[in-house]
Amino acid sequence: MYDHILIRYGELTTKGANRSDMEQILERNVRQAFVAWPQVRVGRIHTRIVVELHGVPVEPALQTLQHVFGISSFSPVAVASLDIEAICDTAIQVAKHELAGKGTFKVEARRGNKQFPLDSPAIAREVGSAVLRALPEVRVDVHHPDLVLEVDVRKSQAYVYPRRVPGLGGFPIGMSGRAIALLSGGIDSPVAVWKAMKRGLSLDLVHFHSFPFTSERAQRKVEDLVEILAKWGGPLPLHLISVTEIQSEIRKHCPEGLRTVLLRRMMFRIATKLADELRGGALVTGDSLGQVASQTLSALNAVDAATNLTVIRPLATEDKLDIIDVAKRIGTYETSVQPFDDCCSLFAPRRPKTNPKLEEIDRAEAPLDVENLVAAAVASRECKRIGM
Ligand code: ATP
Ligand code: MG
């Protein structure tokens, strides 16, 4: 029945040069989403992207597009030749399929191709009466129809489609540049990663572990999370970095109450080095204001002072329950709640300082050989490419 899919994007939000970048990047991402189906063709017609299915069933193809950022809506399309009888026949097939013989409909016609002999109201009239004649139990309802049958007459073909499925919105991944996201095994950072991708950021993920104190199973859990995140526009590079040595140095030389903040600062320095190497322009974290002692304003400021990059915190102002809702929706929640220790929880002080001053932190950090510890951590990283 449906042999194409028509994709609409960012009609209202982008203009000018940005728009043409967006079109190219989205077209590339849609093509990438269909790599598993080599017969699928992706192209652009005017301000739409058209997916030609060439035999691929439409349902899985529609589901695939539910995972692509930057799409405002899409429609399964039946294609007809440029001839009013062919258009009417196709419309009847679509109406029959969608209404299963009864219900109400209306026709909305557009004629992009001004050479076509009938204008839009005439096309709508012809198609409407053909459907009524063919399906005796079907009625017209212009206000609340069960089916809006859209007919779009284009240069070389006509499209008939039954609905507009809402897309994810946001921007296509890659449109906003590249960043490094800090991914723990918790609930928050996978959601932050998803939201950053939705805003068009192309991400390298970094996870810090303290093997052998954190288990291999804990690392597997992070890889599972990345596998899930990669379904939304992957593949995703994951950099695994040991902070065992850094934690041991902090434990030996620094006040207990500042441990977590000091470790975070080291994480930021390492991530910043990675960003330099990978041309990343920002760091992304899952911090949410006030959630724990290391997420007070002074703690966040102390951590941010360790990088010169923009720090993007998509969850900064969100409530935990809303974050959990998103985690469930995107499929990361069940994996995030598996009980495996993170390097931070193993190392958490009994009484963390909630209001650390920068001078105090500088003093606490003085005994650490920061530069060498960071360089060694970066050098020992293991990189995996996960998904698709
Ligand atoms: P999450 O659920 O994302 O772990 P959280 O509420 O447990 O967040 P923290 O443990 O304080 O909060 O971590 C805050 C942020 O620091 C995380 O969202 C993540 O971006 C980063 N982070 C924490 N631990 C790690 C880790 N082991 N590897 C990489 N990033 C980490
Ligand atoms: Mg955590």
Side-chain angles (χ1 to χ4, degrees), residues 22-219:
M22 167 165 174
E23 288 168 336
Q24 275 178 27
I25 295 171
L26 181 59
E27 191 182 336
R28 186 192 66 199
N29 293 357
V30 169
R31 206 166 275 137
Q32 165 70 24
F34 285 106
V35 281
W37 290 298
Q39 68 271 50
V40 167
R41 290 274 163 276
V42 177
R44 221 176 327 149
I45 301 184
H46 271 302
T47 58
R48 302 277 185 264
I49 289 172
V50 178
V51 179
E52 297 176 15
L53 294 172
H54 295 288
V56 168
V58 72
E59 280 310 321
L62 293 172
Q63 266 169 32
T64 297
L65 291 174
Q66 297 279 19
H67 286 76
V68 179
F69 296 113
I71 293 177
S72 52
S73 71
F74 50 90
S75 299
V77 171
V79 175
S81 57
L82 280 187
D83 163 70
I84 190 64
E85 273 182 31
I87 295 172
C88 289
D89 282 347
T90 305
I92 291 167
Q93 296 312 316
V94 171
K96 211 187 235 167
H97 179 79
E98 295 291 328
L99 291 171
K102 48 180 183 288
T104 58
F105 79 107
K106 75 170 176 181
V107 180
E108 281 179 5
R110 255 178 314 278
R111 183 183 57 151
N113 172 358
K114 301 296 173 206
Q115 313 297 322
F116 193 73
L118 303 179
D119 64 7
S120 321
I123 298 168
R125 260 195 321 272
E126 291 287 331
V127 170
S129 23
V131 171
L132 286 172
R133 274 196 306 276
L135 307 175
E137 288 184 53
V138 163
R139 302 270 168 276
V140 171
D141 179 345
V142 289
H143 300 295
H144 305 288
D146 300 322
L147 170 69
V148 179
L149 208 51
E150 295 193 61
V151 179
D152 203 346
V153 176
R154 306 226 156 199
K155 207 160 107 208
S156 52
Q157 315 174 292
Y159 294 157
V160 180
Y161 43 92
R163 61 182 175 276
R164 294 179 180 220
V165 185
L168 280 178
F171 291 136
I173 289 178
M175 188 179 155
S176 306
R178 171 168 291 278
I180 308 294
L182 283 73
L183 181 74
S184 73
I187 295 171
D188 302 327
S189 44
V191 174
V193 163
W194 187 84
K195 288 189 175 240
M197 295 198 295
K198 181 174 183 200
R199 210 58 207 161
L201 280 170
S202 168
L203 297 178
D204 272 75
L205 308 180
V206 52
H207 173 71
F208 299 101
H209 62 83
S210 36
F211 191 75
F213 303 104
T214 51
S215 63
E216 262 176 62
R217 199 54 200 86
Q219 179 171 319

Side-chain angles (χ1 to χ4, degrees), residues 208-233:
F208 299 101
H209 62 83
S210 36
F211 191 75
F213 303 104
T214 51
S215 63
E216 262 176 62
R217 199 54 200 86
Q219 179 171 319
R220 182 65 223 160
K221 169 182 170 180
V222 171
E223 290 173 19
D224 289 346
L225 284 170
V226 180
E227 189 91 44
I228 298 166
L229 289 166
K231 295 207 172 85
W232 307 86

Side-chain angles (χ1 to χ4, degrees), residues 184-189 264 295 342 344-345:
S184 73
I187 295 171
D188 302 327
S189 44
R264 277 293 142 68
Q295 296 175 21
D342 183 59
C344 299
S345 42

